[in-house]
Amino acid sequence: MCMSAKDMAVIGELVLNDGMCNGKRIISEEYLRDMLKPHLKLGEKMGFMNYGYLWYKPYDDRDVYAAIGDSGNIIYVNKEENISVGMTGTFKPRIFDRVQFIEDKVKEAIYSGEI
């Protein structure tokens, strides 16, 4: 699948809005719950994140999710702050670094009005 960062952010918006888009149900609530629910706790190499169905839950105690793909691709969804970010590119080899980059740099740019 080939997607732009904007396309990825739109998928993140679907997750953020519980599967709804313009008042229409696109993804069932049941599937979303199951998709985001942790099914496996990953080891140190993967930052001890929880893993669902192609979605990671980086923090046990926060409503934050990420679909993390090859190289630097990521869909980041923060339900607590109502943020969806799509990002493409080459990045560090550890997947949890991308989540930290968004939380440290991208969110700051969003709140400062830079993006």
Side-chain angles (χ1 to χ4, degrees):
M1 184 182 306
C2 186
M3 298 170 67
S4 69
K6 184 177 178 181
D7 294 335
M8 287 189 241
V10 169
I11 289 174
E13 286 287 319
L14 273 172
V15 173
L16 202 57
N17 294 319
D18 299 319
M20 300 289 289
C21 181
N22 296 326
K24 291 178 72 176
R25 171 129 334 259
I26 306 298
I27 305 170
S28 76
E29 291 176 276
E30 179 183 55
Y31 180 78
L32 273 172
R33 272 192 307 273
D34 201 34
M35 175 182 86
L36 298 175
K37 179 176 72 176
H39 293 275
L40 179 67
K41 183 73 163 181
L42 301 173
E44 181 179 5
K45 184 178 178 184
M46 303 297 253
F48 299 106
M49 290 194 284
N50 293 299
Y51 186 68
Y53 295 144
L54 303 178
W55 286 81
Y56 296 84
K57 188 171 190 305
Y59 311 103
D60 292 334
D61 59 345
R62 293 182 53 206
D63 211 6
V64 174
Y65 305 91
I68 303 172
D70 193 25
S71 298
N73 301 325
I74 182 170
I75 301 170
Y76 169 91
V77 176
N78 184 324
K79 289 188 168 223
E80 298 166 352
E81 299 180 48
N82 200 37
I83 294 172
S84 170
V85 174
M87 186 170 71
T88 63
T90 303
F91 210 79
K92 296 178 183 177
R94 297 181 319 202
I95 62 172
F96 56 90
D97 288 343
R98 293 175 235 173
V99 171
Q100 198 61 51
F101 174 79
I102 290 170
E103 297 214 331
D104 292 346
K105 304 294 183 189
V106 177
K107 279 179 30 180
E108 181 181 311
I110 290 169
Y111 289 130
S112 71
E114 293 177 41
I115 57 172

